[in-house]
Amino acid sequence: MNKQIHFKSALILITTVICLSCNSNTGTSSKTISENPFESQVDSILGLMTLEEKIGQLNLPVSGDITTGQARSSNIAKKIEEGKVGGLFNIKSVEKIKEVQKIAVEKSRLGIPLIFGMDVIHGYETTFPIPLGLSASWDMELIEKTAQIAAKEATADGINWTFSPMVDISRDARWGRVSEGSGEDAYYGSQVAKAMVRGYQQEDLTANHTLMSCVKHFALYGASEAGRDYNTVDMSRIRMYNEYFPPYKAAIDEGVGSVMASFNEIDGVPATGNKWLLTDVLRDDWNFEGFIVTDYTGIHEMIAHGVGDEYQVTSQALKAGIDMDMAGDSPDTKGAFAKVLKASLEKGLVDIADIDRAVKRILTAKYQLGLFDDPYKYCDTERAKTEIFTQEHKAFARKVSAESMVLLKNENNVLPLEKSGTIALVGPLANTAVNMAGTWSVATNQKASNPLLDGLKTVVGDNATILYAKGSNVDYDLDYEKRVTMFGKDIPRDERTDKQLLDEALAVANKSDVIIAAIGESAELSGESSSVTNLQIPQVQKDLLNALLETGKPVVLVLFTGRPLAIVEENENVPAILNVWFPGSEAGLAISDVLFGDVNPSGKLTATFPMNVGQVPIFYNQKNTGRPLGNKEGKFQKFKSNYIDVRNEPLYPFGYGLSYTTFEYANLKLDKTSVPMDGKINISVEVTNSGNYDGKEVIQLYIRDLIGSVTRPVKELKGFQKVFIEKGETKTVRFTLSVEDLKFYNYDLEFIAEPGDFEVFIGTNSDACLKSKFVLTN
Ligand code: BGC
């Protein structure tokens, strides 16, 4: 007992010292620390710890069974008391977290506070568009602010660590998790990664409104074969470095506090046990000094990967660089730090130094968060009442959602609609609050999201009549429907027959001046473990859409989706298509803002939409090949690199998105045609708003390095600006390229720029561009 008090006071003493150093650090950047300011405190604690307590710090169990009142008696509570838990995740509510933290701080021998993680992916209770949608805003300030708001809300509710951003580049729409990332481009993904990390961590990680960020899933998870989740990845190093690694590295350079290892293998070794990846690249080359957590049961899964038994996989993971084991300590797992690390040590498979190193990193993170200073600093019940899902946050969510929507087609200016007459709203996605947040929205207040029907009614008020019919279920197949509407995101199956549903919809449509069809994917049709082999809208909804088109009334397709879809038929037949992704808490209002022109759409795709699933993987920055197609129209040519049955071009290219106004590009100018290695080149272009609405345009700059020591892509994004231009106005938009922008990893994985000819393109998307050129000289 006395001993216990002694240990506790040792800790209190230590924390006082730290508190002073925290304060003096306030306002300094959270960027990677090269000298650990907490080293002596961490070492002192380490000296007090038993082996069991050390292993306990590496253990991140699921918190599923903890609810207020139960915590004390639950199995996990007992483990916390024994010092066998380092943190918990996905536990929601400040009361529950406070109660659990109390157990750690007051009941465990050393009183080491727990870290509380959560998948705060696109907002907390105030939910923003799914990440793929958010990325379509091309607005880094806005994206950063969404992370800031998420951090404010999550920390007000007791959370201090988020498993975000997810920066996996993906070029495969079959993969359901394409919805969780920022699309296909490494340069663009890097900008988003930085904005998210900045937003979560801000200037001071010890502040009580900032979250420690965890970049994931390291690495290459988005390149799983055939788009099947958790599948094998096999990739050349040169592609990794040039096309997949940059966003992870950008997050590291921005000072991200932690990294999550991915489920897939790399070069035949699961990422979780891959020393080259986690130590040689991440720590030695990129200087990452934070801690590395596995993904859910990642260590245990190495047994199924086939690299060894539980002793082998745990020791391999630890030695590779893993610090914390997520959900390893679950009833049905064997390969878990908590279960076998002690035995692995006894068997000589790991050294105590390996364990100590991991413990130190986790304790350091807890110091960085200020948890030793005040373990309850994120447990302010007053904040939880006033800072979550506020009017201000909701208003911001409405704005962000509208900014993320992409106008895919607008024939004869069907959009924007008038707030008058009779409007039919039809479709299974029209009146479902719980689907609006989309996938990976653990903390969202699902029922409080506004569905399109409510939003429309609010926005038109008494000016127009809204008639609603569901029109169809999500899918003809009930089993399939269940699989894509889980986790509380159900769209209750309508017991009426398909014909009855359709008849009702047609009756409503026939009474109306215009039809809005709210169709597409349900929220769980994308996300984790939601891979598909068919990129079409479910057939029952296609049939509904076709029937609506046959009425001859103008139809606007409001497309809900978590992935690029092959909507070729819809693109041919429906006059207006607005892609709204899953827009978040304020979905209905935000969609209505765009439909009626209160907001002019300005979103642009960050992932190519294919013509069909057979084109996948498809992306704009492909290589030329030795047999490129010789015509721009995409006409088939024998013995060239193309398909017999479909052209090479996608349905909508990367960067594509329309506006209610039109923009014209002219006078692409370079201030020089020859640039030395240490020089810069200034590039400008005039963009005129030639249409009838004020609007924002995302001006995109691409380059092509024409000759390289290794083959180079036909286009690479190197800059973008989102600019507001009034109707009739012309703005000159300027970019500067330096040699840094021209660098790439060569055959020997050196990051270099090579002298030679470059082309520059500026335009409204990756396909439609003005073109010029310059030479990089030695
Ligand atoms: C996912 C991660 C997530 C983790 C914790 C895993 O299944 O792959 O992205 O952060 O669960 O919820």
Side-chain angles (χ1 to χ4, degrees):
M1 184 63 183
N2 267 345
K3 218 173 176 191
Q4 251 189 34
I5 293 166
H6 177 72
F7 282 123
K8 287 254 171 72
S9 40
L11 266 188
I12 290 162
L13 231 147
I14 291 159
T15 36
T16 323
V17 178
I18 287 134
C19 178
L20 290 172
S21 67
C22 290
N23 287 343
S24 63
N25 271 348
T26 306
T28 59
S29 150
S30 59
K31 293 216 179 351
T32 313
I33 35 165
S34 43
E35 271 186 25
N36 182 353
F38 306 109
E39 185 139 19
S40 59
Q41 293 93 325
V42 165
D43 282 344
S44 316
I45 300 179
L46 198 71
L48 304 174
M49 295 172 88
T50 62
L51 178 61
E52 286 75 12
E53 283 163 342
K54 288 179 182 177
I55 294 173
Q57 284 303 304
L58 317 187
N59 188 21
L60 179 71
V62 204
S63 56
D65 62 338
I66 294 187
T67 52
T68 313
Q70 280 177 7
R72 251 174 246 111
S73 57
S74 73
N75 186 29
I76 285 188
K78 187 164 166 282
K79 286 187 182 169
I80 295 171
E81 226 174 289
E82 291 167 356
K84 292 185 176 161
V85 175
L88 288 173
F89 70 103
N90 288 354
I91 171 165
K92 185 166 190 273
S93 110
V94 69
E95 284 86 10
K96 288 182 204 165
I97 289 179
K98 197 170 182 176
E99 189 175 337
V100 178
Q101 188 70 295
K102 263 185 139 185
I103 304 174
V105 174
E106 294 174 18
K107 295 264 172 68
S108 74
R109 195 177 70 93
L110 292 177
I112 299 173
L114 299 170
I115 187 170
F116 289 95
M118 187 185 263
D119 290 279
V120 182
I121 307 291
H122 47 114
Y124 189 68
E125 276 195 28
T126 305
T127 308
F128 303 108
I130 54 165
L132 186 60
L134 197 56
S135 74
S137 71
W138 293 67
D139 187 330
M140 296 307 119
E141 262 176 52
L142 211 75
I143 291 176
E144 183 176 336
K145 195 163 171 206
T146 64
Q148 239 175 59
I149 290 178
K152 190 172 176 195
E153 292 197 1
T155 52
D157 219 9
I159 308 294
N160 41 46
W161 179 34
T162 176
F163 304 137
S164 172
M166 188 280 220
V167 304
D168 305 320
I169 294 299
S170 182
R171 294 150 164 193
D172 194 330
R174 293 170 298 184
W175 192 51
R177 302 197 82 170
V178 72
S179 56
E180 290 177 57
S182 298
E184 71 191 36
D185 185 62
Y187 172 85
Y188 186 74
S190 300
Q191 311 308 311
V192 178
K194 286 194 231 166
M196 296 292 287
V197 173
R198 270 199 306 273
Y200 289 131
Q201 300 195 161
Q202 296 167 54
E203 288 303 304
D204 180 10
L205 210 47
T206 64
N208 70 354
H209 61 274
T210 55
L211 281 174
M212 181 173 280
S213 168
C214 179
V215 66
K216 70 186 188 186
H217 307 80
F218 193 61
L220 319 179
Y221 183 31
S224 58
E225 281 174 1
R228 180 157 57 80
D229 211 357
Y230 320 123
N231 202 7
T232 307
V233 170
D234 194 2
M235 188 185 289
S236 68
R237 291 267 161 111
I238 204 159
R239 174 165 267 184
M240 276 181 214
Y241 273 80
N242 282 311
E243 302 169 38
Y244 283 77
F245 275 175
Y248 308 107
K249 182 163 188 307
I252 307 300
D253 291 345
E254 200 57 43
V256 72
S258 58
V259 169
M260 187 186 293
S262 57
F263 287 126
N264 53 280
E265 67 174 61
I266 292 175
D267 292 336
V269 180
T272 310
N274 193 317
K275 180 177 167 294
W276 171 77
L277 183 75
L278 301 183
T279 297
D280 300 358
V281 174
L282 186 58
R283 296 209 182 269
D284 298 347
D285 292 350
W286 297 357
N287 298 322
F288 174 63
E289 293 176 27
F291 72 101
I292 308 177
V293 63
T294 68
D295 202 347
Y296 205 104
T297 62
I299 299 176
H300 173 71
E301 289 174 28
M302 285 167 67
I303 301 174
H305 273 288
V307 295
D309 64 10
E310 60 268 41
Y311 304 102
Q312 166 62 24
V313 298
T314 43
S315 53
Q316 186 176 334
L318 186 72
K319 282 193 163 293
I322 291 290
D323 301 306
M324 202 173 214
D325 177 8
M326 180 196 286
D329 193 11
S330 301
D332 46 358
T333 52
K334 287 202 293 182
F337 281 170
K339 294 182 181 172
V340 299
L341 211 48
K342 194 175 170 192
S344 299
L345 182 72
E346 284 157 9
K347 283 173 187 272
L349 293 170
V350 295
D351 301 323
I352 189 68
D354 299 320
I355 298 178
D356 285 354
R357 196 177 45 233
V359 176
K360 281 167 88 166
R361 288 188 188 128
I362 287 157
L363 293 179
T364 300
K366 291 179 177 181
Y367 272 112
Q368 287 174 318
L369 285 166
L371 283 168
F372 282 103
D373 188 15
D374 176 5
Y376 305 109
K377 61 187 288 195
Y378 304 95
C379 296
D380 175 347
T381 42
E382 271 316 298
R383 272 191 69 198
K385 276 186 218 141
T386 53
E387 292 183 15
I388 300 177
F389 208 48
T390 62
Q391 279 314 325
E392 193 194 332
H393 293 174
K394 285 198 272 183
F396 186 67
R398 179 171 178 175
K399 181 175 158 185
V400 178
S401 304
E403 290 284 319
S404 74
M405 291 172 193
V406 184
L407 184 64
L408 295 175
K409 185 177 174 191
N410 195 19
E411 202 173 78
N412 303 324
N413 296 325
V414 172
L415 287 173
L417 301 175
E418 297 286 333
K419 289 177 189 162
S420 65
T422 303
I423 300 168
L425 175 64
V426 178
L429 273 305
N431 190 23
T432 167
V434 296
N435 271 258
M436 294 300 97
T439 189
W440 268 124
S441 39
V442 178
T444 197
N445 194 342
Q446 281 180 353
K447 294 199 173 115
S449 293
N450 54 66
L452 181 51
L453 179 58
D454 291 4
L456 276 186
K457 284 185 178 160
T458 308
V459 166
V460 301
D462 296 333
N463 299 314
T465 307
I466 309 286
L467 301 177
Y468 162 73
K470 185 173 175 186
S472 78
N473 285 309
V474 172
D475 200 87
Y476 282 124
D477 180 349
L478 176 60
D479 280 344
Y480 183 77
E481 182 164 305
K482 281 188 187 153
R483 291 203 290 276
V484 301
T485 54
M486 50 200 322
F487 304 135
K489 292 166 192 163
D490 27 306
I491 302 181
R493 185 81 175 177
D494 204 302
E495 289 312 323
R496 289 173 288 176
T497 64
D498 295 324
K499 176 152 187 330
Q500 281 168 330
L501 283 166
L502 188 58
D503 286 348
E504 182 193 44
L506 291 175
V508 159
N510 281 319
K511 283 188 219 143
S512 305
D513 305 308
V514 61
I515 303 164
I516 299 173
I519 67 175
E521 295 193 333
S522 49
E524 288 302 322
L525 220 160
S526 62
E528 186 169 350
S529 188
S530 289
S531 296
V532 294
T533 61
N534 175 354
L535 294 175
Q536 307 257 338
I537 293 170
Q539 191 58 44
V540 67
Q541 298 187 56
K542 279 174 84 95
D543 292 345
L544 168 66
L545 187 62
N546 287 334
L548 294 173
L549 287 166
E550 274 168 26
T551 63
K553 309 263 171 141
V555 176
V556 176
L557 165 55
V558 171
L559 179 67
F560 289 83
T561 183
R563 56 159 56 83
L565 289 176
I567 47 166
V568 174
E569 244 181 89
E570 292 75 12
N571 183 57
E572 255 162 39
N573 302 327
V574 187
I577 307 177
L578 180 68
N579 180 8
V580 301
W581 313 106
F582 288 94
S585 308
E586 298 297 284
L589 292 167
I591 300 170
S592 307
D593 288 341
V594 175
L595 289 177
F596 294 105
D598 298 324
V599 176
N600 187 353
S602 58
K604 304 260 190 177
L605 300 177
T606 57
T608 303
F609 273 43
M611 299 284 285
N612 64 27
V613 74
Q615 281 186 322
V616 171
I618 184 169
F619 46 96
Y620 83 95
N621 48 351
Q622 56 187 296
K623 301 289 183 74
N624 203 38
T625 80
R627 294 191 176 196
L629 201 57
N631 64 82
K632 180 92 182 100
E633 308 75 56
K635 264 179 49 201
F636 174 76
Q637 284 180 301
K638 195 74 184 163
F639 304 122
K640 296 286 181 184
S641 179
N642 59 169
Y643 301 101
I644 294 182
D645 60 341
V646 69
R647 62 191 172 94
N648 283 358
E649 275 67 36
L651 178 60
Y652 307 119
F654 175 84
Y656 175 85
L658 304 173
S659 163
Y660 294 153
T661 193
T662 45
F663 295 101
E664 275 163 32
Y665 285 65
N667 290 327
L668 171 58
K669 285 191 196 145
L670 278 54
D671 71 344
K672 42 185 93 67
T673 50
S674 173
V675 198
M677 277 290 176
D678 57 354
K680 285 187 167 31
I681 181 160
N682 296 310
I683 302 164
S684 65
V685 70
E686 285 170 18
V687 185
T688 303
N689 181 338
S690 51
N692 295 323
Y693 298 84
D694 297 343
K696 289 183 196 161
E697 167 73 336
V698 180
I699 295 131
Q700 301 159 41
L701 181 148
Y702 299 85
I703 61 157
R704 178 171 181 186
D705 184 354
L706 283 163
I707 294 173
S709 56
V710 291
T711 58
R712 310 288 296 119
V714 294
K715 247 174 217 173
E716 287 176 278
L717 184 72
K718 289 293 172 186
F720 59 90
Q721 287 181 43
K722 190 165 189 176
V723 180
F724 174 76
I725 311 178
E726 283 177 19
K727 63 180 168 188
E729 191 193 0
T730 299
K731 274 195 174 154
T732 303
V733 179
R734 296 174 206 285
F735 295 90
T736 301
L737 286 181
S738 76
V739 74
E740 281 305 302
D741 300 304
L742 310 178
K743 286 186 173 170
F744 63 97
Y745 290 91
N746 67 10
Y747 200 81
D748 297 320
L749 301 180
E750 295 154 340
F751 193 52
I752 51 146
E754 292 176 344
D757 291 336
F758 285 80
E759 287 176 341
V760 178
F761 312 84
I762 294 194
T764 186
N765 62 52
S766 61
D767 198 31
C769 293
L770 298 175
K771 181 168 149 187
S772 190
K773 58 184 181 190
F774 67 90
V775 188
L776 181 67
T777 58
N778 250 326

